[in-house]
Amino acid sequence: MTTKNSNVALVGEQIGSLVAVLNAVRSGQALTRPEVVRVTGLGRNVVSQRVEYLLDSGLLEEGPTGPSQGGRAPRQLAFKATAGQVLVAELGATSLGVALTDLDGRIVSAVEEPSDINNGPEVILKRVAQLFNELLKSHDGSPRLWGIGIGLPGPVEFATGKPVVPPIMPGWDGYDVRAFFQGNFSAPVWADNEVNLMALGEFRDGLGQNHSEIVYVKVGTGIGAGLISQGRLHRGALGSAGDIGHIRLGPDSVACRCGKRGCLEAVAGGAAIARQGEALGKSGKSRLLATTVADHGSVNARDVADAARRGDADATDLLLYSAREVGEAISLLVNIFNPSLVLIGGGVADSGDLYLAEVRKTVLGSSLPLATRNLSIMASPTGDQSGLRGAAFMVIDQLLSGHLLERWIQSGTPSGRTDLT
């Protein structure tokens, strides 16, 4: 992507205006130069110069003329999403997904398979790298790889991309995920908590597009929340914002994998539901779960949900208890954060309308009236790949941010610039 502007260094306000112009077109707010002037408030000459720079750099492209406003019809502008590609992965406790996307976060190809996070970083990340290579090979000849995004099911220090004492990820504490992928691919790497990426994916290209204050709650093996505040992902000071799974709501008798007692995750997460469901099956109290134990030797949260759908009263009680506890935790966020949208996702939340209805009932009953006046509580669509799309948006946003854009645009491409992160 060598350009005629490649020897022209942009600094200070010039970089700021370049990013403003790029974001105006990339977001769809402005499709022509006059619209960019209106949206950004920049002067016509500045906009013209920045647009030419971005066209030369291959980040923008011109299309057909737009509607005339009384003079010569302006040429339309578009972000060139095909200029590069991004590899992304979403790691869960019991599965992993990988995808290849364009620079608009659109998934070109994706693969999902069962996986056990307990196998440790070397095994899991080696498999992710294998799948990444297969995706690249199947799309040989496509634009160059610009970046890699990884979602992890635990607390992540965003500045370093390292998980920090993740309760459901034994052996991962402090592991340098970024260095692993930079050692295998010539591209910059970012990592974040998977729930943050799900929230980002829904906000940018999902149910949250018309909301600027969002809480995304994933109820799976673990429980976590991603927060969108004033249209931006809120990570907190170091990256642990939204970790509601370790709010103390349950009895002290229940130990959590984090080392504390009474955590929400320990009493209402998927592992807790599976443990309690298996006890019901082994005791014979639940006929359906007893059959599951006899056939498979164990019970998982999906088995409990299936039994509840088939009318098992004890399985239904387990799910409703989880929903009420999750609803209480969400009500704390609603009172403090005042979102306009709460999205519920994850394997446990996929249990059906009964679970969502109980969460909604609890939140509305435990939150302040003003906080819930215009609040929507909805299920995140199953299989919508929000985490993968969110990982792509994370990478693209970082690459096109002011503090990185100028660094790599002068060299022609971010590929190979692993120092960017």
Side-chain angles (χ1 to χ4, degrees), residues 4 20-22 24-25 29-56 60-67 69 72-78:
K4 67 184 182 183
V21 170
L22 178 60
V25 177
Q29 293 178 289
L31 301 180
T32 64
R33 288 169 177 81
E35 290 178 356
V36 173
V37 170
R38 176 179 56 79
V39 168
T40 64
L42 297 168
R44 286 186 298 174
N45 288 340
V46 172
V47 167
S48 179
Q49 292 168 3
R50 301 300 177 263
V51 167
E52 290 305 312
Y53 194 102
L54 292 167
L55 288 169
D56 291 343
L60 294 184
E61 58 185 349
E62 287 188 306
T65 57
Q69 301 297 321
R72 188 175 69 176
R75 295 286 297 276
Q76 289 194 331
L77 300 169

Side-chain angles (χ1 to χ4, degrees), residues 90-125:
E90 180 186 358
L91 310 185
T94 59
S95 65
L96 66 83
V98 300
L100 185 71
T101 81
D102 66 12
L103 299 184
D104 266 337
R106 287 188 291 259
I107 292 176
V108 176
S109 183
V111 178
E112 184 175 351
E113 64 182 34
S115 177
D116 187 351
I117 202 71
N118 291 301
N119 287 333
E122 295 290 344
V123 172
I124 299 299
L125 297 184

Side-chain angles (χ1 to χ4, degrees), residues 1-26:
M1 194 188 298
T2 303
T3 76
K4 67 184 182 183
N5 284 318
S6 62
N7 62 344
V8 178
L10 298 179
V11 294
E13 293 181 1
Q14 293 176 318
I15 289 296
S17 60
L18 188 75
V19 172
V21 170
L22 178 60
N23 286 340
V25 177
R26 184 178 161 224

Side-chain angles (χ1 to χ4, degrees), residues 334-335 337-340 364 367-375:
V334 168
N335 283 334
F337 186 61
N338 190 203
S340 60
L364 295 179
S367 303
L368 295 171
L370 181 59
T372 58
R373 179 182 295 173
N374 297 315
L375 177 66

